């Protein structure tokens, strides 16, 4: 061991001094511009939005489609392309020159459908890239986690595909907004259609994805089917991403149930539905009734994945590309021109959310989160594919018509797999903000973030 | 057990390490990693890897279940925020305590076997914890949604000290200093330096020598009259506590705990970090942790647009060609790049990045390798 002249004491002092010195600037810098808000673009010529979608994992298909929609929305906001829904949106404050005259830039990130990874990715966008708004997510668990983060950090969160009641119920936040519909609305829309198609005496068996979305959808569908006289025989929770559902489907065969309700989404739904059909459930007859399967939350991407198994199966969806209103037609046209196939409901809701945010900034005249919140709360708009829609101020949930769809018996193309059976009017799916499925949450105050 | 005197060489190592860690915000900024969240991750996972190395590097026991301790630390910390106070110190203490306890239980059973059987046992326990967190323990863990703070949490100590609760969700604090952003990083960094110092002392203590003895030949150790089991359990618990500390720091910088932190991929990640950096070296695991977190956060965010900007200096045709070739390796393909890098390192540098550095050092600075290689303790 070589001896040196430096004493231990002086080294310790040195370490402490170094630590203090390198820490000190951070405390002072943080309060340098206290009056503004987090990531204020100021005089910059551009503004950055953060698109946080699953690029790997069980919801990767939805994530890829969401990203396409975001890129399309950015080009329309910047005045490129044919403008899409900016031609049909009512009222419209956007001018096709970016937002508030600033060119829209974006950064992307992979949520991996994991709360931790999603929050890390969103934090990077906020702290490093200076994003004023985060949007995306294709899982309610992730959406709720990122919504909480955006509230704490002080940026706006425009939820993508998230269907759990909790997103705008128990876990709602002032800085978070959801355009997509939810489990309760699915139940309310499906109830009457199921009654008409399958009668009032059914014995239902639920298989449910074991997380916030699955729980709340199961509760909503259960309440709505029991309302029309059905009996709920058993509810079974299944792990997310299980892959093989045979161990859960075999007991259904001998349970005496005549209806299987699959509260699954993404690849889980494709697997469980395909296996249920392979096990011959739909060819069975129980208590003198044909065995039926119901998938409360449908998407075209899933229906495509499940192939022939979806034929005749009922479900609900937020939007479908075959709708014939002006907004939907404009969106399908410009999405198709850019990518060569029709958009999914995930793409639609993400596109609409981006435009709604931009429009709200334009109306508020600033990107300041609290002003944007004011502009969005209670905002009524039309021409975005769902008819007249309102962002309710009490819970930041959009209220609009809900589509009940059925798997097509004779699809004319690989995209034409669902047909719209009924457009359930808004009044039928609306609920009070303190409804039992949504109680227990509090929006809290809005947060501009520490500038 | 520890030698009493701190030698000068130890001090200078710790000093250099502290200087490098504390100035990270400055020298990492040019490569796009100088923002608080990633810096926090560097410090936290560096700590996790240092602790893991005490078990894997020193004793050679390959644990595939260390993420379980990380998860336990996180849950304990978040519960401390929910029930007691938003101050981070109790959270860190509880995180370390509970994960240590948990590590003792798992270590007591798993260490009855060695080699591959030990690895499988730890993997099984970790997967069990993960699945329990997802299903039966949902009231404690909140399942896949993850454990989060709410407005209705009791926070006994905080409500006793304050007359009225503040509006909205509170932040984690260290006596008034918010633990998000840079202050959070410096808190983690100081703990990382402390953890590094302790690991350094352990590796040079008689206890550390026993562990290294177990690695080289456990049977011979037993023949010389050593009962190795208590030493093994102690090493296992210490490394479990490091993992719990890292887990609680994750909760400190971001008060949320999810079950996926306990998944086997998370356990595998720390093994990769350690091997990538250099097994058995003190600084190697920290480098490995930094590299993997950098890839995960920065490479995954490169999209085609960013690539086109990066290669804009090339002529158009060539630019498009280069972007097409490179794009599968960035963005969602970052795993691929990491895999290729991992293979290259394992094949050409079995000793990890540290070995690579030594090779460079020997080649360019012409030091006699025998004199130098031992002193970095590597």
């Amino acid at each position: 061991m070589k001896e040196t002249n430096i004493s231990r004491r002086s080294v310790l002092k040195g370490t402490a001094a170094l630590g203090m010195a390198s820490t000190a600037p951070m405390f002072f810098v943080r309060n340098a511009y206290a009056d503004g808000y987090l990531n204020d673009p100021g005089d910059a010529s551009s503004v950055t939005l953060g698109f946080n979608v699953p690029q790997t994992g069980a919801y990767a298909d939805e994530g890829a489609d969401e990203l396409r929609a975001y890129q399309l929305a950015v080009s329309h906001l910047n005045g490129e392309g044919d403008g899409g829904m900016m031609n049909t949106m009512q009222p419209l404050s956007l001018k096709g020159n970016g937002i508030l005259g600033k060119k829209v830039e974006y950064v992307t990130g992979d949520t991996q459908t994991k709360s931790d990874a999603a929050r890390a990715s969103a934090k990077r966008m906020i702290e490093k890239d200076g994003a004023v708004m985060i949007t995306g997510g294709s899982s309610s668990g992730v959406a709720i986690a990122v919504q909480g983060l955006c509230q704490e950090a002080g940026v706006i969160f425009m939820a993508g595909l998230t269907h759990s009641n909790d997103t705008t119920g128990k876990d709602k936040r002032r800085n978070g907004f959801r355009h997509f519909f939810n489990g309760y609305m699915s139940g309310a829309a499906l109830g009457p259609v199921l009654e008409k198609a399958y009668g009032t005496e059914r014995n239902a068996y639920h298989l449910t994805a074991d997380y916030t979305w699955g729980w709340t959808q199961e509760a909503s569908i259960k309440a709505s089917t029991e309302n029309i006289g059905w009996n709920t025989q058993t509810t079974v929770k299944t792990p997310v991403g299980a892959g093989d559902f045979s161990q859960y489907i075999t007991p259904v065969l001998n349970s005496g149930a005549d209806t299987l309700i699959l509260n699954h989404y993404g690849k889980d739904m494709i697997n469980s539905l395909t296996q249920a059909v392979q096990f011959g459930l739909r060819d069975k007859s129980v208590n003198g009734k044909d065995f039926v399967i119901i998938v409360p939350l449908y998407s075209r991407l899933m229906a495509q994945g499940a192939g022939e198994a979806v034929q005749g199966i009922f479900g609900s969806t937020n939007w479908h590309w075959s709708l014939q209103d002006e907004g939907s037609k404009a969106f399908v046209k410009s999405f198709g021109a850019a990518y060569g196939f029709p958009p999914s409901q995930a793409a639609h809701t993400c596109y609409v959310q981006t435009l709604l945010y931009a429009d709200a900034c334009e109306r508020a005249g600033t990107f300041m989160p609290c002003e944007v919140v004011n502009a969005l709360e209670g905002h009524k708009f039309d021409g975005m594919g769902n008819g007249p829609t309102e962002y309710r101020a009490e819970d930041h949930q959009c209220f609009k018509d809900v589509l009940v769809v059925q798997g097509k018996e004779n699809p004319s193309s690989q995209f034409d797999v669902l047909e719209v059976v009924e457009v359930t009017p808004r009044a039928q799916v609306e609920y009070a903000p303190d409804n039992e499925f949504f109680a227990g949450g509090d929006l809290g105050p809005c947060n501009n973030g520490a500038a | 057990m520890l030698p009493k005197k701190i030698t000068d060489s130890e001090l200078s190592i710790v000093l250099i390490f502290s200087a490098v860690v504390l100035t990270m915000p400055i020298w990492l900024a040019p490569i796009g990693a100088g923002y608080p969240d990633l810096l926090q991750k560097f410090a936290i996972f560096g700590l996790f890897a240092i602790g893991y190395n005490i078990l894997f590097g020193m004793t050679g026991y390959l644990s595939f279940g260390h993420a379980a301790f990380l998860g336990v630390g996180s849950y304990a910390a978040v519960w401390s925020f929910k029930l007691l106070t938003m101050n981070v110190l109790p959270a860190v203490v509880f995180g370390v305590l509970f994960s240590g306890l948990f590590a003792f239980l798992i270590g007591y059973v798993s260490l009855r076997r060695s080699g591959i059987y030990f690895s499988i046992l730890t993997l099984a326990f970790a997967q069990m914890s993960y699945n329990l967190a997802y299903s039966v323990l949902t009231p404690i863990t909140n399942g896949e949604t993850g454990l989060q703070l709410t407005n209705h949490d009791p926070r006994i100590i905080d409500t006793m000290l304050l007359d009225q609760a503040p509006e909205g969700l509170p932040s984690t604090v260290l006596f008034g200093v918010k633990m998000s952003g840079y202050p959070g990083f410096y808190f983690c960094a100081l703990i990382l330096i402390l953890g590094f110092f302790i690991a350094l002392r352990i590796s040079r203590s008689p206890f550390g020598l026993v562990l290294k003895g177990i690695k080289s030949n456990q049977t011979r150790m037993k023949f010389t009259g050593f009962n190795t089991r208590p030493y093994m359990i102690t090493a296992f618990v210490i490394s479990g506590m490091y993992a719990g500390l890292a887990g609680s720091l994750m909760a400190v910088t971001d008060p949320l705990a999810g079950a996926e932190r306990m998944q086997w991929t998370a356990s595998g990640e720390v093994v990769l970090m350690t091997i990538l950096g250099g097994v058995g070296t003190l600084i190697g695991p920290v480098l490995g942790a930094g590299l993997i977190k950098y890839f995960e956060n920065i490479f995954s965010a490169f999209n085609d647009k960013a690539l086109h900007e990066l290669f804009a200096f090339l002529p158009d045709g060539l630019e498009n060609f280069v972007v097409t070739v490179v794009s599968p390796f960035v963005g969602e393909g970052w795993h691929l790049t990491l895999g290729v890098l991992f293979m290259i390192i394992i094949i050409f540098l079995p000793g990890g990045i540290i070995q690579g550095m030594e090779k460079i050092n020997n080649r360019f600075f012409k030091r006699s390798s025998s004199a130098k290689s031992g002193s970095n303790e590597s």
Side-chain angles (χ1 to χ4, degrees):
Chain A
M1 198 68 54
K2 201 174 66 185
E3 290 296 326
T4 54
N5 292 328
I6 311 163
S7 75
R8 182 176 148 204
R9 185 175 294 262
S10 69
V11 169
L12 282 173
K13 274 185 194 163
T15 316
L18 187 73
M20 300 267 281
S22 52
T23 320
M26 305 311 166
F27 293 111
F28 297 116
V29 170
R30 276 179 66 82
N31 296 324
Y33 27 91
D35 290 338
Y37 52 95
L38 185 67
N39 294 337
D40 182 353
D43 297 330
S45 64
S46 66
V47 60
T48 306
L49 310 181
F51 301 146
N52 204 13
V53 301
Q55 295 176 309
T56 50
Y59 297 150
D61 292 348
E62 273 81 5
D65 222 36
E66 290 181 354
L67 204 51
R68 287 183 203 110
Y70 284 132
Q71 285 161 347
L72 193 68
V74 167
S75 67
H76 290 169
L77 286 173
N78 286 334
E80 298 154 16
D82 62 4
M85 278 189 187
M86 280 172 58
N87 302 318
T88 60
M89 186 176 173
Q90 291 293 335
L92 179 79
S93 307
L94 294 163
K95 301 176 188 74
N97 62 347
I99 310 175
L100 295 170
K102 295 184 197 301
K103 186 169 187 286
V104 181
E105 304 271 356
Y106 64 91
V107 288
T108 59
D110 183 7
T111 67
Q112 302 173 33
T113 322
K114 291 177 183 166
S115 305
D116 268 352
R119 277 171 82 111
S121 171
K123 272 189 172 178
R124 172 181 57 76
M125 295 170 179
I126 298 168
E127 293 176 355
K128 172 165 170 267
D129 304 318
V132 285
M133 182 273 272
I134 303 293
T135 173
S138 190
S139 155
S140 293
V142 167
I144 288 170
V146 176
Q147 178 164 280
L149 173 82
C150 291
Q151 178 71 49
E152 286 157 32
V155 297
I156 293 286
F157 176 65
M158 301 297 282
L161 196 151
T162 159
H163 188 248
S164 169
N165 291 345
D166 289 347
T167 313
T168 48
K170 184 165 74 61
D171 296 309
K172 64 189 167 198
R173 296 279 184 272
R174 182 72 67 182
N175 285 27
F177 290 86
R178 168 164 68 179
H179 171 264
F180 206 66
F181 71 143
N182 57 42
Y184 178 90
M185 294 178 173
S186 283
L190 273 172
V193 175
L194 293 179
E195 184 177 12
K196 204 158 52 176
Y198 300 135
T200 56
E201 289 172 6
R202 281 273 173 180
N203 217 352
Y205 193 110
H206 287 258
L207 289 183
T208 303
D210 195 3
Y211 73 106
T212 170
W213 167 67
W215 306 332
T216 64
Q217 174 168 299
E218 178 194 285
S220 304
I221 301 292
K222 198 171 150 209
S224 139
T225 50
E226 281 173 1
N227 207 22
I228 58 170
W230 292 17
N231 173 39
T232 305
Q233 168 134 357
T234 319
T235 62
V236 176
K237 305 264 189 300
T238 65
V240 180
D244 180 17
F245 289 89
S246 48
Q247 55 166 319
Y248 300 105
I249 290 169
T250 326
V252 181
L253 290 164
N254 306 314
S255 64
D258 51 29
T259 307
L260 174 64
I261 298 180
L262 292 175
N263 298 306
H264 287 154
Y265 193 71
K267 293 204 169 75
D268 279 357
M269 173 269 180
I270 297 175
N271 289 332
S272 63
L273 179 63
T274 313
Q275 284 171 7
V277 172
Q278 280 166 356
F279 277 47
L281 281 181
R282 299 185 74 188
D283 308 325
K284 263 171 62 99
S285 169
V286 182
N287 312 329
K289 291 193 271 290
D290 285 340
F291 196 98
V292 294
I293 302 177
I294 296 158
V295 180
L297 177 61
Y298 241 142
S299 96
R300 201 246 317 149
L301 292 173
M302 279 153 49
Q304 242 170 282
E308 290 183 358
V310 299
Q311 290 176 6
I313 288 180
F314 280 108
S316 66
T317 158
N318 190 52
W319 179 83
H320 193 250
W321 64 272
S322 65
L323 289 174
Q324 287 305 311
D325 60 288
E326 291 307 313
S328 300
K329 281 200 299 201
F331 178 52
V332 172
K333 180 163 162 276
S334 64
F335 192 96
Y339 305 111
F341 46 85
S344 64
Q345 62 170 352
H348 170 256
T349 196
C350 290
Y351 178 89
V352 171
Q353 283 280 68
T354 314
L355 255 51
L356 283 174
Y357 171 78
D359 185 68
C361 291
E362 202 75 45
R363 282 184 289 122
T366 171
F367 295 97
M368 184 182 280
C370 288
E371 296 296 321
V372 178
V373 167
N374 282 337
L376 276 173
E377 281 183 346
H379 180 52
K380 292 190 176 72
F381 56 93
D382 198 355
M384 306 289 270
N386 301 98
T389 308
E390 180 186 359
Y391 248 126
R392 188 159 74 181
E394 286 82 5
D395 52 7
H396 294 189
Q397 167 73 49
C398 264
F399 284 85
K400 53 188 165 19
D401 301 345
V402 170
L403 305 180
V404 176
V405 291
Q406 190 175 21
K408 251 192 177 169
E409 300 284 354
N410 296 306
S412 61
S413 77
Q414 58 162 324
F415 306 112
D416 180 35
V417 282
L418 296 177
E419 85 187 306
V420 178
V421 187
E422 193 183 272
V423 180
T424 310
R426 170 184 166 176
Q428 197 185 316
V429 298
E430 196 158 354
Y431 53 86
D434 57 353
N435 180 295
E436 54 168 325
F437 290 113
F438 297 86
D442 180 13
L443 283 174
C446 77
N447 184 3
N448 276 331
Chain B
M1 200 81 210
L2 296 171
K4 290 190 195 80
K5 273 178 69 180
I6 301 172
T7 63
D8 285 342
S9 83
E10 280 172 5
L11 264 183
S12 51
I13 290 173
V14 172
L15 198 66
I16 295 170
F17 183 77
S18 320
V20 170
V21 168
L22 289 174
T23 52
M24 277 204 308
I26 299 163
W27 60 267
L28 279 176
I31 55 168
Y35 65 99
D37 181 57
L38 188 55
L39 293 169
Q40 290 162 5
K41 293 260 151 46
F42 284 162
I44 290 168
F45 281 90
L47 196 63
F48 187 22
I50 287 178
Y52 184 74
N53 189 50
I54 291 179
L55 182 72
F56 180 41
M58 290 192 194
T59 71
Y61 274 60
L62 175 64
S63 160
F64 256 120
H66 256 54
F69 310 128
L70 190 83
V72 169
S74 287
Y75 282 123
V78 176
W79 272 113
S80 156
F81 292 140
K82 283 171 87 76
L83 297 179
L84 298 174
T85 166
M86 292 306 289
N87 192 313
V88 297
L89 291 182
V92 170
V93 170
F94 280 116
V96 174
L97 218 61
F98 274 97
S99 56
L101 205 68
F102 195 59
F104 179 77
L105 294 177
I106 289 185
Y108 190 81
V109 180
S110 307
L111 285 167
R112 294 182 166 275
R113 294 284 170 271
S114 62
I116 185 78
Y117 304 103
F118 169 78
S119 304
I120 295 292
L121 273 175
T122 51
L123 176 64
F125 275 118
Q127 272 306 88
M128 232 154 73
S129 322
Y130 168 67
N131 282 321
L132 284 176
Y134 247 124
S135 53
V136 190
L137 295 179
T138 303
I140 303 176
T141 62
N142 203 18
E144 175 175 317
T145 318
L147 194 61
Q148 297 186 38
L149 304 176
T150 66
N151 286 327
H152 315 295
D153 293 330
R155 278 190 275 281
I156 302 169
I157 297 177
D158 283 2
T159 38
M160 268 192 329
L161 295 178
L162 290 171
D163 290 337
Q164 63 188 53
E167 250 191 316
L169 282 182
S171 328
T172 54
V173 290
L174 178 68
F175 304 114
V177 182
K178 277 194 181 182
M179 281 292 111
S180 50
Y182 281 107
F185 162 67
Y186 285 108
F187 180 69
C188 296
L190 289 178
I191 291 188
L192 170 69
I193 291 164
L194 189 71
F196 179 78
F197 178 68
I198 293 173
L200 181 72
R201 295 288 285 164
I202 288 177
S203 84
R204 296 186 165 189
S205 67
F207 172 69
L209 277 178
V210 174
L211 297 186
K212 285 171 191 165
I214 291 172
K215 183 179 187 178
S216 57
N217 195 333
Q218 183 162 200
T219 321
R220 188 180 291 170
M221 292 285 286
K222 281 179 181 159
F223 282 165
T224 55
F226 259 106
N227 181 6
T228 54
R229 205 168 135 73
Y231 289 92
M232 285 306 306
I233 291 185
T234 314
F236 192 86
V237 170
I238 290 176
S239 84
M241 286 164 89
Y242 266 86
L245 181 60
S248 62
L249 287 180
M250 284 174 83
V252 163
T253 53
D254 186 2
L256 169 132
E260 72 256 17
R261 267 176 209 175
M262 306 171 102
Q263 212 179 355
W264 66 270
T265 48
S267 297
E269 203 179 53
V270 71
V271 181
L272 289 191
M273 287 170 181
T274 314
I275 294 177
L276 208 54
V279 184
T281 64
L282 272 173
I283 196 78
V286 185
L287 291 177
L291 195 68
I292 287 190
K293 284 293 144 190
Y294 182 74
F295 268 81
E296 185 181 324
N297 287 282
I298 303 297
F299 261 59
S300 69
F302 272 36
N303 48 31
D304 277 3
K305 190 170 69 87
L307 280 180
H308 276 289
E309 279 167 18
L310 193 65
F311 293 110
F313 63 91
L314 295 171
D316 261 4
L318 192 60
E319 179 190 329
N320 288 337
F321 175 73
V322 171
V323 168
T324 319
V325 171
V326 173
S327 61
F329 290 93
V330 297
E332 60 245 50
W334 67 272
H335 282 114
L336 192 62
T337 319
L338 190 65
V340 170
L341 189 75
F342 189 70
M343 272 168 51
I344 292 173
I345 288 192
I346 293 301
I347 293 169
F348 296 105
L349 298 168
I353 301 172
I354 289 292
Q355 193 194 3
M357 286 179 167
E358 274 171 9
K359 277 192 172 174
I360 293 172
N361 200 25
N362 291 340
R363 174 155 305 177
F364 292 103
F365 299 98
K366 295 285 177 198
R367 297 252 180 97
S368 61
S369 58
S370 56
K372 194 64 198 156
S373 63
S375 71
N376 206 17
E377 196 67 26
S378 346

